[in-house]
Amino acid sequence: MIEIIDLTKDLVQFKTMHSKPDEIHRCSAFVEQYLNTWDITYRRLDYHNTPAILVLPQHGIAPLLLMSHIDVVDASDNLFRPVIQDGKLYGRGCFDDKYAVALSLVLLKNNLQQLRKQGRGQKELPFGILITSDEEIGGFNGAKKTLVDIQTDFCIVLDGGNIEKIVVKEKGVARVKLLCRVKVTSGRKPWQGENAVEKLMNDINTWETYFVKSAPENPHRAVVRNNIRSEKSRHGVPEFAEACLEIRYTEADDLEKMFNAMQKELYSDIVVENVEPLFSGGESEHLKLLLEISKKTRIGFEDGANDSRFLSQFGIKGIVWGADGNRSQHTPNEHVNIETVYELYALLDAFIKRCESLTRIC
């Protein structure tokens, strides 16, 4: 089992931030080298210079699929030097999501070795893996592009939850821009005229208030401010400002109705850039079996959004699950609890072996 942690430590040392695309490619090459070392057939896919690595039993088909990602959010150099302390592995990406990449690779290698000892091969593998490199920026060139060509009965997204909680539902995300332009007053007192930043901030507050008042029984929605910028006129007062927002919505929301209602209330123009679907894993025999194997695990929901949202888009049943990291992802204190990585490996290995008894669609 120590192999998983050692491999995670190797992966963490690649600074796979989107500000360093070369590091993402270097890390992908490292994963490929691991697969080549163990004589595992794979495909490397590149959509818009975004690598993804796919290992399947047969072309386009996997009864079960494990999904993880190598990209991480920005961090200082010291966080890419992994450290083990008090049973935890610390470092950028060790929890989100490189331990999952390492676990998937070791699980794949070990299961294939067992098959080869029986005179069988990769075509008899009961599962496949997909490793992407753009989850942190939306997954549009990784999971979204790749899943469309994969037939699978069940997908486990190893990017959330914990040993005791399998996530079966997550919010959808709509990305919008608010564009605000005003006419700045000329003369000696331009500050007495309109200010684009002030109007934009008022509009953001109006939207946040609308979320609370329009559905007080639904506290799970949110407006997340990602970026705000402005342009000043020659008088020194902002005449244009824009904000990039993420609207986290639930199945109870009618987005078209929401956008129409907000446009009537706001001074700024609303530009909808994209809408990502909700994730709802659905009931399945695979989920029932997994809950039977992992006795202390329950199903639950999470506020975050990850590549699981594309499962619903392609009609794939699945879940989000993973080791424990005390919600430390994206923080300077990011870590994964090592014992839960080992526990997750054992549970997945048992699940994979028993999945062969389930009726297959693909």
Side-chain angles (χ1 to χ4, degrees):
M1 290 290 195
I2 190 64
E3 180 184 2
I4 301 173
I5 301 304
D6 288 342
L7 186 54
T8 302
K9 290 165 65 178
D10 289 339
L11 292 167
V12 167
Q13 294 178 65
F14 292 96
K15 300 173 185 178
T16 50
M17 304 174 288
H18 288 279
S19 58
K20 294 182 178 292
D22 288 347
E23 286 289 290
I24 291 176
H25 285 278
R26 286 183 62 239
C27 188
S28 294
F30 176 83
V31 172
E32 291 181 76
Q33 182 182 6
Y34 180 92
L35 294 170
N36 287 325
T37 297
W38 297 104
D39 194 23
I40 299 172
T41 302
Y42 67 92
R43 291 177 63 203
R44 172 169 169 153
L45 309 169
D46 283 274
Y47 294 99
H48 298 292
N49 204 34
T50 303
I53 295 172
L54 181 63
V55 183
L56 299 177
Q58 300 180 52
H59 183 75
I61 297 176
L64 170 68
L65 185 68
L66 304 181
M67 191 156 66
S68 57
H69 65 92
I70 61 170
D71 58 317
V72 301
V73 299
D74 284 0
S76 56
D77 287 349
N78 65 299
L79 290 183
F80 293 96
R81 294 189 286 270
V83 174
I84 293 178
Q85 184 176 347
D86 298 327
K88 301 177 178 68
L89 175 63
Y90 289 82
R92 173 59 79 236
C94 63
F95 179 46
D96 183 19
D97 189 36
K98 289 179 177 177
Y99 89 86
V101 174
L103 186 152
S104 299
L105 289 168
V106 174
L107 190 61
L108 181 79
K109 182 260 294 182
N110 288 346
N111 273 265
L112 184 53
Q113 283 185 326
Q114 291 169 16
L115 286 172
R116 286 171 174 165
K117 288 178 181 179
Q118 301 167 10
R120 304 160 74 190
Q122 187 166 330
K123 289 184 178 180
E124 283 75 42
L125 269 175
F127 73 104
I129 66 172
L130 171 60
I131 299 170
T132 65
S133 64
D134 67 339
E135 189 277 339
E136 298 292 356
I137 57 172
F140 300 108
N141 293 312
K144 185 175 183 179
K145 290 288 189 182
T146 308
L147 286 173
V148 68
D149 293 322
I150 299 176
Q151 295 180 51
T152 185
D153 294 330
F154 194 69
C155 180
I156 300 178
V157 181
L158 295 168
D159 193 16
N162 56 61
I163 289 294
E164 297 187 4
K165 184 173 77 171
I166 289 173
V167 178
V168 296
K169 187 179 291 186
E170 290 184 335
K171 297 175 185 176
V173 178
R175 291 183 174 84
V176 304
K177 279 187 177 182
L178 296 186
L179 307 179
C180 182
R181 187 175 295 278
V182 300
K183 187 174 182 180
V184 176
T185 302
S186 58
R188 295 183 178 181
K189 298 180 179 180
W191 58 86
Q192 292 182 347
E194 294 183 322
N195 183 307
V197 172
E198 291 178 357
K199 283 187 174 292
L200 180 67
M201 297 307 296
N202 287 338
D203 284 346
I204 294 173
N205 292 333
T206 298
W207 202 321
E208 292 172 338
T209 301
Y210 168 84
F211 259 24
V212 175
K213 290 185 176 180
S214 62
E217 74 287 350
N218 184 5
H220 302 292
R221 304 184 304 172
V223 178
V224 181
R225 310 178 188 188
N226 277 341
N227 186 38
I228 297 174
R229 73 175 190 90
S230 64
E231 296 175 3
K232 291 182 179 180
S233 71
R234 61 187 179 88
H235 302 289
V237 178
E239 63 178 354
F240 173 78
E242 71 173 23
C244 298
L245 306 179
E246 283 190 0
I247 310 300
R248 305 290 175 91
Y249 69 93
T250 70
E251 68 274 10
D253 289 310
D254 182 330
L255 288 182
E256 184 176 0
K257 181 179 178 180
M258 180 197 301
F259 293 145
N260 288 338
M262 293 313 303
Q263 190 60 83
K264 294 177 182 178
E265 296 288 329
L266 305 184
Y267 180 90
S268 304
D269 291 325
I270 299 173
V271 177
V272 180
E273 296 201 305
N274 62 69
V275 177
E276 298 169 11
L278 294 151
F279 164 62
S280 182
E283 295 183 1
S284 68
E285 292 300 313
H286 291 81
L287 178 55
K288 291 178 182 178
L289 176 60
L290 192 50
L291 291 171
E292 179 185 325
I293 292 170
S294 187
K295 302 293 185 184
K296 64 182 180 181
T297 304
R298 67 190 190 281
I299 61 172
F301 313 101
E302 283 192 352
D303 292 339
N306 53 43
D307 283 345
S308 64
R309 58 186 170 270
F310 300 118
L311 301 184
S312 300
Q313 185 171 339
F314 299 119
I316 300 172
K317 292 184 180 298
I319 60 169
V320 177
W321 199 26
D324 297 353
N326 307 108
R327 294 183 173 271
S328 62
Q329 65 268 35
H330 300 183
T331 72
N333 194 43
E334 182 173 353
H335 62 270
V336 65
N337 298 322
I338 293 173
E339 284 303 318
T340 68
V341 175
Y342 297 158
E343 187 175 359
L344 180 65
Y345 178 96
L347 291 168
L348 285 171
D349 193 40
F351 174 66
I352 286 167
K353 288 175 171 56
R354 289 185 59 182
C355 271
E356 295 186 70
S357 64
L358 297 178
T359 302
R360 295 183 180 178
I361 300 172
C362 66

